[in-house]
Amino acid sequence: MIPGKRDVTYINHQYVIEYLITVPYDDSIEELAHIIIIKNNLPLYVEKELKKDIKKFIEYKTAEYYEDTSTDVVQKAKDQQPDIDGIIKQWEKIMREELIEFGEKRCASDEELFATAYHKLVHSPALETMLQYEHMYSKTIRQKTEKRNMMIKKLSDRQSEEMNKAVNRLEQDMTESKINELVSRHYETHSLLQGKLSSEIDTMKEAQRREYREWIMEMLEENQANSSLPTPSSPLNPAYAENFKSRECNSRSQINLPILEESFTIHLGSQLKQMHNIRILSASVMELCAIEDNEQMSEPTPQFLQTALGLYSDDLTGLVLMTDNKIGSRLSQGFQEVCQRTTEFHFPHIEEQLDRISDVANKYLKNPQPQTSRNANSELLERGDFYLTSHSNLAQVHVIFHIVTDDSLKGSDINSRHPVVLGLRHILKTACANDITSLTIPLLLQYEMTEDMTINWCEKRAELVFKCVKGFMIEMASWGGSELKNLQFMLPEGISSGVFTSMTEMLPRIFK
């Protein structure tokens, strides 16, 4: 007999049936009646009557079982004193495990305390002081980074000149072995200098991060005590203005490209329609991430304000960044350099985040789940896979979705079942589940215009992405979570105005 149940014998004298049934009975009565008919070789027309009789029997025996069980419990309680303490402890355990208000209280971590303090201060009059503090820190790192780049460039120029002279004397007093020694010496000198200067910058970033976080906690305590704000001063700020002129000018200022952008408001949904803001613009993906670097500016830019106010909120901003199947590869080097321009005060530095992601990916790829269709021999990420990094020192984004792509996107034969397109669906689903309400997507799934990208190619690719994203957005209503309020489609920088106009005319037709 099964614990908590009782075996009873069903007897039907009319059809000469005896059958053992366990009550309470959880399975289908119709199926039970059919089994009894087959085992007893009964005609099928008795099924309706037999089913009714079996149902009545099971209901009666189930009620009888519960009545007997209740009577036994009451009688045991009368015969012996119940273990009140044991019952209380059992209920206490259940309450602690099931209800958060009675759960075990744990101390908040340093990260949680800092996040709470920052969120409280950033939405208070202290905001301006905090932004000035971060701005001074960022200027210090930028100047230090630019000085490092200048020193490395001078060394590279000097080594190149020295190498050219050595090659010119190859047939005189210079041999190949001496040139190889010179190359080795140059490489070692270059590596030592770069390592030394980069280490100094990393040390300064860590000092800034530690000092800033301590300052935030102190400022919260002082603000709560006497409603006064400390003056933002730091020994790490530049003591004097160093006029390092950047040798790397912004590409937009060099070429003076026109800014192409267009905004729309659409309503999607079959019954309850939801409003979404959609924007198309032509820009460089790094330009969207990088905070404006201007040595002449003594005040923080509005980009600092936008990023700070959205941090630790339910209104985060995300961006889809295409990369290859190697985490932290040279393809993403430009993005890493943008992240390294200023100190990351809230999350691990980009290198540390990528290292952690790489460790998790390697562990997963070496032990793939049995239900996945992934190639068991592959130790690399596949097309459509993506990973996330979090940032507080970028211009218009808090979360980066690094999606794995390959050269197949350069062709014209991809469809809605392409792994990268399906990856976009998973990205939208992840965004909805994690309070990311604004998202930027590369419309053509390319960052640069090439000769193969004709007008027809661009229109076909844009139509595919538009239709797929529209379908994903309609599907979002059944996913739950946050609503994607703002969607931004990014076109390659330098795209012709004719192609851009074609895209803007296509969007309202598809999203109608």
Side-chain angles (χ1 to χ4, degrees), residues 43-59:
L44 291 178
Y45 62 80
V46 305
E47 180 180 1
K48 186 175 181 180
E49 180 184 354
L50 185 63
K51 183 171 62 176
K52 184 178 179 181
D53 189 60
I54 293 174
K55 182 179 180 182
K56 183 178 179 181
F57 172 80
I58 289 177
E59 289 176 350

Side-chain angles (χ1 to χ4, degrees), residues 90-100 102-103:
Q90 185 177 4
W91 273 101
E92 182 182 5
K93 179 183 177 183
I94 294 173
M95 298 284 278
R96 287 182 181 276
E97 292 176 351
E98 299 296 333
L99 299 177
I100 189 171
F102 300 111

Side-chain angles (χ1 to χ4, degrees), residues 155-205:
L155 176 63
S156 299
D157 292 343
R158 188 172 68 250
Q159 289 180 343
S160 297
E161 184 179 353
E162 187 177 352
M163 180 59 66
N164 290 334
K165 291 180 179 179
V167 172
N168 292 335
R169 291 170 24 223
L170 184 59
E171 297 180 355
Q172 301 174 8
D173 58 341
M174 186 64 64
T175 62
E176 290 186 4
S177 60
K178 290 183 178 180
I179 290 181
N180 290 335
E181 291 177 3
L182 183 62
V183 171
S184 177
R185 189 165 64 251
H186 282 179
Y187 177 78
E188 184 178 355
T189 304
H190 188 278
S191 299
L192 286 174
L193 178 63
Q194 187 171 19
K196 175 178 176 294
L197 297 177
S198 297
S199 178
E200 291 177 358
I201 294 176
D202 291 341
T203 302
M204 179 174 286
K205 285 182 179 179

Side-chain angles (χ1 to χ4, degrees), residues 447-462:
Y447 288 137
E448 296 179 355
M449 296 295 294
T450 62
E451 295 180 355
D452 297 331
M453 296 168 63
T454 62
I455 295 180
N456 290 334
W457 187 98
C458 294
E459 290 179 346
K460 184 178 178 182
R461 176 62 57 84

Side-chain angles (χ1 to χ4, degrees), residues 19-122:
Y19 193 84
L20 192 65
I21 300 176
T22 301
V23 293
Y25 189 76
D26 301 323
D27 296 327
S28 170
I29 295 179
E30 290 81 358
E31 185 176 351
L32 176 61
H34 191 68
I35 292 173
I36 293 175
I37 289 174
I38 293 176
K39 285 191 173 183
N40 292 273
N41 296 320
L42 299 175
L44 291 178
Y45 62 80
V46 305
E47 180 180 1
K48 186 175 181 180
E49 180 184 354
L50 185 63
K51 183 171 62 176
K52 184 178 179 181
D53 189 60
I54 293 174
K55 182 179 180 182
K56 183 178 179 181
F57 172 80
I58 289 177
E59 289 176 350
Y60 174 77
K61 289 297 181 180
T62 301
E64 185 182 74
Y65 165 75
Y66 283 131
E67 185 175 346
D68 293 344
T69 303
S70 302
T71 302
D72 291 342
V73 172
V74 172
Q75 190 61 42
K76 286 180 181 179
K78 289 180 178 179
D79 295 342
Q80 59 184 8
Q81 186 68 23
D83 184 9
I84 302 296
D85 292 338
I87 295 174
I88 292 175
K89 289 181 179 179
Q90 185 177 4
W91 273 101
E92 182 182 5
K93 179 183 177 183
I94 294 173
M95 298 284 278
R96 287 182 181 276
E97 292 176 351
E98 299 296 333
L99 299 177
I100 189 171
E101 59 182 306
F102 300 111
E104 184 178 352
K105 305 296 182 182
R106 64 179 182 86
C107 296
S109 65
D110 292 342
E111 295 296 328
E112 292 173 333
L113 290 174
F114 174 74
T116 303
Y118 182 88
H119 184 72
K120 185 173 183 178
L121 289 173
V122 84

